[in-house]
């Protein structure tokens, strides 16, 4: 028996959530006294690195291009599983339910904890856009966990690890025509730090200071819904209940009022900083640190101070 | 062009969420229910397609009788007929299986779901329907163009976008982008009147054994009071973020 984990790569390179998935699998496997088998693309040049996070064996194969194709491959490769872990990236969220349907498994998506009890298996997951936390029980021979990136954290479990090449059939039901990745940008769901701005910025021409702040912090940029609706920023920066849900270590909200729908998508962030001219802005109630002040004065000062701070580190 | 739009019946985005005293389920007292916001974009897209290509729009919900006002609202917005599959939608795969059965018994060119329901945030049902039927699927779909039976879909992926081509029928998990916010349709008086006489059919559910079960619900821990910092002293913020929050 083994806990299987699909480890996603981006053009042959791993990201934090890839290692986090292996750590998750290791923690689960330890509680069952079993091994961890990682499944990953043969494009990756250093799959044995997964041993550092707890993989006992790594199977590499030429992965299909779509969620369904990969789900079929996983179904072929996953034998004698005690459970399966998939990170909740955009791609993972297509793979996990398809695999669940094919394997008649039980899936907990949006999972935010490692197993609480093992028999029966229970975990915690976000519900009602972070307004609730559900404890869910999975009763199936094939329990599948799709976890929220950054909710568990990467943990090292140095393990002697073997790498074996294999293959599996997967049928992509649609063809990939084009993939465009914004270069040099940090993807929002994965970011440790998010700098987000709202209508208080008054126009798209003022985002330079937001990007400067994101730059010095190594952060991803985000925005409130109306900002993307008016076209000041692209839709894929819209965070909140009806946009991308984030849970970074640090979320900085500038000129955002903190409407309930905005908070629903960001309140799981570990530390929240709010900058707003209005001391009554609801966001302050959800914040850890607040500054009542004009973004046009506070942000440039913050950028300078952070630059000096980073230079000292 | 026969389109199925799957509609989830969810608490309004402004709703305060509370749970029953035993912690087993949502306390619906005082909660207003609406069409899942992601599904509103899908329904409007279906209307656009119908306007250019003709055909029929069916809206479907798996749920109890309490969801019928939500289906009526979808009819008032412009769908032609509604189907309610009578079951308590407690688990994604059982919902997906019921929708699959309905699709197999009818003939649809396109199945539009929302990327996720804002109640249980599963983001599971659309991909499951597609996998059960072995149909092409695009998640986080922000663009859909049809040329005959060929569909070009645009999807959000981590850090960017992808474009796919597929042959209909297919399933999408849609969101803002397949139509814009400003294009969203709301019911008008005529729509509301005509919705009363549009068919709303109730179908029996196939009961399966749900592989997942909600054991309990809790509310998140509330933050302790915010610490206010003088705007003239951003150094203090940087110090606190470093030393106290350990966030930088
Ligand atoms: C169905 C539905 C779904 C929704 N989903 C989302 C969602 O997912 N995400 C989302 O964000 N919203 C969502 N909303 C919208 C939400 O209700 C709010 O309207 C929105 O979040 C407000 O955006 P904002 O804070 O940028 O703008 P505003 O509410 O206009 O707030 C601007 C803020 O900037 C401050 N300000 C002004 N000037 C300055 C300055 N110079 N310096 C500093 N601060 C300044 C003001 O005091 C104010 O607090 C949704 C709404 C609905 C109905």
């Amino acid at each position: 028996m083994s806990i299987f984990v699909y480890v996603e790569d981006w053009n042959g390179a791993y990201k934090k959530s890839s290692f986090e998935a292996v750590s998750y699998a290791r923690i689960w496997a330890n509680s069952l006294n079993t091994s961890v088998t990682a499944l990953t693309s043969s494009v990756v040049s250093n799959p044995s690195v997964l041993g550092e996070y707890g993989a006992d064996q790594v199977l590499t194969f030429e992965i299909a291009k779509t969620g369904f194709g990969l789900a079929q491959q996983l179904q072929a490769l996953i034998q004698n599983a005690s459970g399966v872990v998939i990170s909740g990236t955009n791609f993972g969220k297509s793979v996990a339910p398809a695999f669940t349907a094919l394997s008649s498994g039980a899936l907990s998506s949006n999972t935010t904890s490692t197993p609480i009890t093992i028999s029966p298996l229970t975990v915690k997951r976000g519900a009602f856009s972070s307004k609730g936390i559900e404890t869910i029980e999975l009763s199936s021979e094939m329990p599948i966990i799709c976890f929220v990136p950054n909710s568990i954290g990467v943990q090292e479990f140095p393990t002697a690890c073997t790498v074996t090449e294999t293959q599996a059939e997967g049928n992509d039901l649609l063809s990939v025509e084009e993939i465009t990745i914004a270069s040099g940008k940090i993807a929002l769901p994965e970011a440790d730090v998010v700098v987000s701005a709202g209508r208080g910025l008054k126009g798209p021409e003022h985002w330079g200071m937001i990007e400067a702040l994101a730059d010095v912090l190594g952060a991803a940029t985000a925005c409130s819904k109306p900002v993307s609706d008016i076209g000041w920023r692209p839709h894929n920066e819209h965070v909140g209940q009806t946009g991308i849900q984030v849970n970074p270590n640090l979320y900085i909200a500038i000129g955002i009022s903190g409407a309930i729908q905005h908070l629903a998508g960001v309140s799981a962030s570990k530390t929240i900083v709010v900058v707003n001219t209005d001391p009554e802005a609801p966001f302050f109630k959800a914040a850890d640190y607040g500054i009542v002040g004009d973004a046009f004065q506070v942000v440039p000062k913050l950028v300078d101070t952070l630059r000096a701070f980073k230079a000292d580190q | 062009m026969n389109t199925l739009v799957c509609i989830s019946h969810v608490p309004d985005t402004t709703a305060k969420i509370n749970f029953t005293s035993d912690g087993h389920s949502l306390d619906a007292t005082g909660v207003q229910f609406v069409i899942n916001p992601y599904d509103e974009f899908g329904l409007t897209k279906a209307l656009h397609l119908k306007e250019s290509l003709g055909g029929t729009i069916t809206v479907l919900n798996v749920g109890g009788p309490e969801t019928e006002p939500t289906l009526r609202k979808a009819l008032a917005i412009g769908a032609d007929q509604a189907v309610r599959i009578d079951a308590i939608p407690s688990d994604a795969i059982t919902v997906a299986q019921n929708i699959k059965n309905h699709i197999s018994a009818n003939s649809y060119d396109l199945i539009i779901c929302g990327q996720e329901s804002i109640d249980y945030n599963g983001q599971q049902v659309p991909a499951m329907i597609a996998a059960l039927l072995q149909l092409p699927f695009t998640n986080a779909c922000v663009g859909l163009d049809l040329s005959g039976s060929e569909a070009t879909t645009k999807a959000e992926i981590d850090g960017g976008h992808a474009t796919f081509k597929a042959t209909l029928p297919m399933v999408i998990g849609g969101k803002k982008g397949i139509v814009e916010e400003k294009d969203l349709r709301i019911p008008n008086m005529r729509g509301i009147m005509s919705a009363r006489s549009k068919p709303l059919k109730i179908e029996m559910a196939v009961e399966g054994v749900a592989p997942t079960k909600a054991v309990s619900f809790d509310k998140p821990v509330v933050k302790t009071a915010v610490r206010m910092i003088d705007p003239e002293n951003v150094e203090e913020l940087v110090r606190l973020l470093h030393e106290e929050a350990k966030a930088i």
Side-chain angles (χ1 to χ4, degrees), chain B:
Chain B
M1 187 69 207
N2 288 329
T3 308
L4 179 70
V5 183
C6 300
I7 301 276
S8 187
H9 162 86
V10 299
D12 182 80
T13 56
T14 57
K16 294 241 169 13
I17 298 297
N18 291 304
F19 300 104
T20 51
S21 53
D22 62 5
H24 286 333
S25 54
L26 174 73
D27 179 358
T29 319
V31 173
Q32 218 194 324
F33 283 80
V34 297
I35 300 178
N36 181 41
Y38 288 94
D39 306 344
E40 283 189 280
F41 292 97
L43 178 56
T44 302
K45 181 70 192 186
L47 291 166
H48 288 180
L49 291 172
K50 181 183 166 176
E51 281 153 14
S52 56
L53 302 167
T56 311
I57 300 172
T58 306
V59 286
L60 176 149
N61 170 264
V62 179
E66 70 281 2
T67 72
E68 288 185 9
T70 298
L71 284 172
R72 286 277 173 220
K73 187 174 172 202
L75 292 172
I77 292 172
D80 300 294
Q81 54 190 33
V83 173
R84 178 172 69 80
I85 301 181
D86 190 30
I88 298 164
S90 63
D91 169 82
I93 194 80
T94 48
V95 170
Q97 251 144 8
N98 275 300
I99 298 176
K100 174 210 146 189
N101 293 342
H102 172 86
I103 294 168
S104 302
N106 293 274
S107 107
Y108 293 108
D109 303 299
L110 179 65
I111 296 106
I112 302 183
C113 303
Q115 172 186 287
E116 76 176 76
S117 289
I118 63 164
D119 50 1
Y120 296 96
N121 306 111
Q123 209 167 136
Q124 301 183 18
V125 171
M128 285 173 169
I129 298 171
L132 291 170
L133 289 162
Q134 309 245 334
L135 290 179
F137 171 61
T138 299
N139 197 27
C141 183
V142 293
L144 167 66
D145 286 309
L146 296 181
S147 160
S149 65
E150 193 181 61
T152 306
T153 53
K154 186 176 173 197
E156 275 180 3
I157 57 171
D158 290 337
H161 289 99
T163 310
F164 304 102
K165 270 198 170 34
T167 308
L168 296 181
M170 77 174 295
V171 182
I172 67 162
K175 63 189 299 185
K176 183 171 79 176
I178 47 169
V179 300
E180 294 303 321
E181 177 87 18
K182 63 174 172 29
D183 297 326
L184 283 182
R185 303 275 173 92
I186 48 168
N188 58 25
M189 211 48 202
R190 228 182 71 216
I192 294 167
M193 297 304 285
S194 69
R196 292 189 186 152
S197 55
K198 286 180 181 172
L200 193 165
K201 206 166 88 192
I202 294 154
E203 293 183 358
M204 295 291 285
V206 178
E207 301 288 341
V209 183
T212 70
K213 182 175 92 189
V215 182
S216 63
F217 289 93
D218 296 295
K219 297 230 262 182
V221 199
V222 248
K223 291 231 177 218
T224 48
V226 54
R227 190 139 159 189
M228 297 310 288
I229 293 152
D230 184 342
E232 297 302 322
N233 193 3
V234 293
E235 292 77 10
E236 176 67 358
L237 175 63
V238 172
R239 187 188 71 77
L240 287 168
L241 287 177
H242 181 60
E243 290 174 10
E244 191 178 82
K246 306 205 185 323
I248 57 172

Side-chain angles (χ1 to χ4, degrees), chain A residues 224-241:
Chain A
S224 66
K225 176 170 175 285
V227 162
S228 72
D229 287 342
I230 342 166
W232 292 356
R233 298 297 288 179
H235 284 321
N236 59 3
E237 285 199 0
H238 157 195
V239 292
Q241 189 166 20

Side-chain angles (χ1 to χ4, degrees), chain A residues 36-256:
Chain A
V36 170
T37 305
L39 303 164
T40 198
S41 165
S42 48
V43 182
V44 174
S45 62
N46 61 336
S48 61
V49 67
L50 301 180
E52 290 174 27
Y53 306 93
D56 296 287
Q57 53 167 332
V58 182
L59 301 179
T60 66
F61 60 106
E62 191 184 328
I63 64 162
K65 293 189 176 63
T66 64
F68 180 76
L70 180 58
Q72 280 189 324
Q73 291 180 305
L74 295 183
Q75 200 196 5
L77 292 170
I78 294 178
Q79 305 290 334
N80 289 322
S82 311
V84 177
V85 178
I86 297 173
S87 60
T89 59
N90 239 315
F91 188 51
K93 287 178 187 168
S94 293
V95 178
F99 175 66
T100 306
L102 295 178
S103 65
S104 304
L107 170 62
S108 171
S109 60
N110 213 24
T111 306
T112 52
S113 82
T114 50
I116 303 163
T117 59
I118 286 300
S119 182
L121 177 66
T122 57
V123 293
K124 288 194 190 291
R125 60 182 302 278
F128 299 99
S129 314
S130 307
K131 294 181 204 168
I133 299 162
E134 177 182 2
T135 302
I136 189 175
E137 183 180 312
L138 306 182
S139 45
S140 157
E141 300 287 294
M142 183 71 85
I144 300 152
I145 301 287
C146 191
F147 69 94
V148 178
N150 209 25
S151 59
I152 311 300
V154 177
Q155 296 181 39
E156 290 183 17
F157 296 96
T159 307
C161 153
T162 59
V163 177
T164 315
E165 212 176 305
T166 183
Q167 53 196 18
E169 280 290 315
N171 199 356
D172 290 319
L173 301 175
L174 23 68
S175 64
V176 182
E177 298 295 304
E178 195 187 356
I179 293 199
T180 37
I181 299 284
S183 61
K185 281 244 171 177
I186 296 155
L188 256 180
E190 280 235 46
D192 273 334
V193 182
V194 173
V195 175
S196 188
R199 211 148 50 175
L201 254 71
K202 308 208 163 54
E205 65 279 15
H206 297 132
W207 250 262
M209 63 182 189
I210 300 300
E211 281 176 350
L213 181 57
D215 200 42
V216 58
L217 288 167
T221 48
C223 67
S224 66
K225 176 170 175 285
V227 162
S228 72
D229 287 342
I230 342 166
W232 292 356
R233 298 297 288 179
H235 284 321
N236 59 3
E237 285 199 0
H238 157 195
V239 292
Q241 189 166 20
T242 55
I244 292 172
Q245 317 222 339
V246 294
N247 67 334
N249 294 333
L250 176 59
Y251 184 82
I252 304 184
I254 296 155
I256 302 177

